[in-house]
Amino acid sequence: MDKFAVVYGKQDARAALAPAITDISWSSQRDEIARSMTVRLRDIPTISVAGMLMCFSHKVGKSLLHHKNQFFHGPIIDYEQDEFTGAWEIKASEIGWYLAKNKGARPYLKGEAGAELQKYIKTTGVDFRCPKLGFNLDERYGTMAHSEVILDVLQKAYERSGYRYHVDVVRTETNFYLQVVREGMNEVVPIFVPEQMEASSAGYNIEETYTVVTAQKYKDDKLSASVTKTDASVLKTFGRMEEIIEVEEDENPTTVATQRVKAMAKPKQIKKITVRHEDHTLAGLRAGWLVLIKTTVVTKWIVESADTTWSNGIFTLKLVLERREA
């Protein structure tokens, strides 16, 4: 337990939980802004919902509880105690979960998308940071959860650039902030080899493939421009699959449609692997990370979903991956 710690906190109280853990796992999915965690324990002090679960894995420094070693921080949202055995099951979510539990009353975002999203979320009291996303917004949202606004803006960024983004939690010495990060920009890039894999499968799917893309522009609720681009060779092979994108007033529909059909008119290469390793620097691996797989060649993959369990110093990862060509 000298390289892994789980701490429960409520106000000023702290309790070390790692010695009582019988099972711990955490997961993340693409298009979710917060990871989830499940911990099963025995013989622990009384806990309460909304208490904080803090998890550390040794990466830097001499102290395991150094803030840079923390890879999970968030509220307990559910727990159960077996009245016969005394065993506990605790479920927690990352701190970004609160953005799904609070709504904004018809927020209006007008300006550069990343800057507007950052400004809006900061009005909720959350330290939220977002890079420029490369397009402008002029949109009145309905009354909806803050997390839904974030995901909508990031989906629009993907539609226009072909780049996906995820929300990460960055721990500082005294606090934390939420950071929008482009997929594949993780500083530590894992490389897995066949000897680490318990299972591996590969294939393709066309669920997110589109052979036709139409970009439409509206003015005063009336269609003012519409451009359709088609990849004829892929259309002939896979059939007609059309996506319609509504662009902003200052965007060029031709440019958007051309970029999107180029990015989306390909089947997606996928891979599923189960990996065992002992590298504590990878405890924070989440959806959106770039990973490498080394066989006779090294290939690049983006994590679509990650399910991690930890036991006796061994991490077991179940990963769903999407091929990245460059």
Side-chain angles (χ1 to χ4, degrees), residues 117 128-131 133 150 154 163-170 177-187 286-290 324:
L117 182 61
F128 183 87
R129 306 178 189 185
C130 185
L133 297 176
I150 294 171
L154 298 186
Y163 297 120
R164 292 186 183 271
Y165 294 82
H166 67 276
V167 179
D168 205 352
V169 180
V170 180
Y177 60 88
L178 302 184
Q179 174 74 57
V180 173
V181 182
R182 202 175 97 185
E183 284 191 344
M185 302 302 289
N186 41 298
E187 294 180 0
R286 66 186 303 149
W289 273 35
L290 171 70
R324 169 170 282 191

Side-chain angles (χ1 to χ4, degrees), residues 112-114 132-136 251:
E112 200 285 321
K132 290 184 177 180
L133 297 176
F135 69 101
N136 289 339
E251 291 183 292

Side-chain angles (χ1 to χ4, degrees), residues 6-10 13-17 46-48 51-54 76:
V6 180
V7 177
Y8 166 75
K10 184 72 171 179
R14 296 290 184 271
L17 302 182
T46 300
I47 60 170
S48 64
M52 289 291 166
L53 205 62
M54 296 164 276
I76 294 172

Side-chain angles (χ1 to χ4, degrees), residues 231-255:
D231 187 315
S233 62
V234 181
L235 175 67
K236 183 178 180 180
T237 303
F238 298 116
R240 183 179 181 85
M241 296 177 283
E242 182 178 9
E243 181 180 54
I244 299 177
I245 299 174
E246 188 173 324
V247 303
E248 301 297 333
E249 186 174 344
D250 62 339
E251 291 183 292
N252 186 322
T254 301
T255 300

Side-chain angles (χ1 to χ4, degrees), residues 175-281:
N175 214 322
F176 66 88
Y177 60 88
L178 302 184
Q179 174 74 57
V180 173
V181 182
R182 202 175 97 185
E183 284 191 344
M185 302 302 289
N186 41 298
E187 294 180 0
V188 177
V189 180
I191 182 166
F192 299 123
V193 296
E195 290 76 14
Q196 295 173 296
M197 298 181 194
E198 295 183 339
S200 178
S201 63
Y204 289 83
N205 74 50
I206 57 172
E207 289 183 356
E208 297 180 15
T209 300
Y210 290 93
T211 56
V212 181
V213 174
T214 297
Q216 296 182 336
K217 181 184 292 189
Y218 284 82
K219 186 174 184 179
D220 299 326
D221 292 329
K222 295 182 179 180
L223 183 65
S224 60
S226 180
V227 175
T228 298
K229 294 293 181 178
T230 302
D231 187 315
S233 62
V234 181
L235 175 67
K236 183 178 180 180
T237 303
F238 298 116
R240 183 179 181 85
M241 296 177 283
E242 182 178 9
E243 181 180 54
I244 299 177
I245 299 174
E246 188 173 324
V247 303
E248 301 297 333
E249 186 174 344
D250 62 339
E251 291 183 292
N252 186 322
T254 301
T255 300
V256 173
T258 301
Q259 290 175 340
R260 294 309 297 135
V261 78
K262 181 179 179 181
M264 301 178 76
K266 294 180 181 179
K268 182 168 68 174
Q269 186 176 356
I270 58 173
K271 193 173 188 69
K272 297 179 181 179
I273 60 174
T274 300
V275 176
R276 288 169 62 88
H277 70 85
E278 301 179 39
D279 188 347
H280 283 75
T281 66

Side-chain angles (χ1 to χ4, degrees), residues 27-29 31-37 72 92-100 147 151 167 169 286:
S27 63
S28 63
Q29 308 286 329
D31 298 332
E32 291 182 351
I33 69 167
R35 286 182 294 179
S36 58
M37 176 170 284
F72 186 94
S93 188
E94 263 184 328
I95 198 73
W97 176 81
Y98 281 106
L99 291 173
S147 60
L151 292 174
V167 179
V169 180
R286 66 186 303 149

Side-chain angles (χ1 to χ4, degrees), residues 7-170:
V7 177
Y8 166 75
K10 184 72 171 179
Q11 297 177 342
D12 294 331
R14 296 290 184 271
L17 302 182
I21 291 175
T22 59
D23 180 72
I24 181 169
S25 61
W26 55 96
S27 63
S28 63
Q29 308 286 329
R30 177 181 269 175
D31 298 332
E32 291 182 351
I33 69 167
R35 286 182 294 179
S36 58
M37 176 170 284
T38 300
V39 188
R40 296 178 179 87
L41 316 96
R42 292 184 182 276
D43 303 321
I44 62 171
T46 300
I47 60 170
S48 64
V49 288
M52 289 291 166
L53 205 62
M54 296 164 276
C55 302
F56 302 80
S57 186
H58 203 230
K59 296 185 292 183
V60 300
K62 295 182 179 180
S63 172
L64 174 58
L65 300 184
H66 191 285
H67 69 274
K68 289 187 177 180
N69 290 329
Q70 186 171 358
F71 70 91
F72 186 94
H73 182 99
I76 294 172
I77 59 175
D78 177 80
Y79 72 82
E80 296 179 9
Q81 184 182 22
D82 189 303
E83 295 178 342
F84 291 97
T85 67
W88 295 76
E89 180 175 285
I90 298 172
K91 295 181 180 179
S93 188
E94 263 184 328
I95 198 73
W97 176 81
Y98 281 106
L99 291 173
K101 295 298 291 183
N102 291 277
K103 293 183 177 181
R106 304 191 70 229
Y108 181 37
L109 275 59
K110 181 177 174 62
E112 200 285 321
E116 283 296 295
L117 182 61
Q118 175 174 302
K119 182 172 68 174
Y120 167 61
I121 299 300
K122 281 193 170 184
T123 66
T124 70
V126 175
D127 189 349
F128 183 87
R129 306 178 189 185
C130 185
K132 290 184 177 180
L133 297 176
F135 69 101
N136 289 339
L137 276 174
D138 185 0
E139 184 160 350
R140 171 74 70 182
Y141 285 89
T143 299
M144 57 198 299
H146 305 316
S147 60
E148 294 178 8
V149 176
I150 294 171
L151 292 174
D152 182 78
V153 174
L154 298 186
Q155 175 63 26
K156 286 182 168 64
Y158 169 58
E159 291 173 352
R160 285 153 177 77
S161 68
Y163 297 120
R164 292 186 183 271
Y165 294 82
H166 67 276
V167 179
D168 205 352
V169 180
V170 180

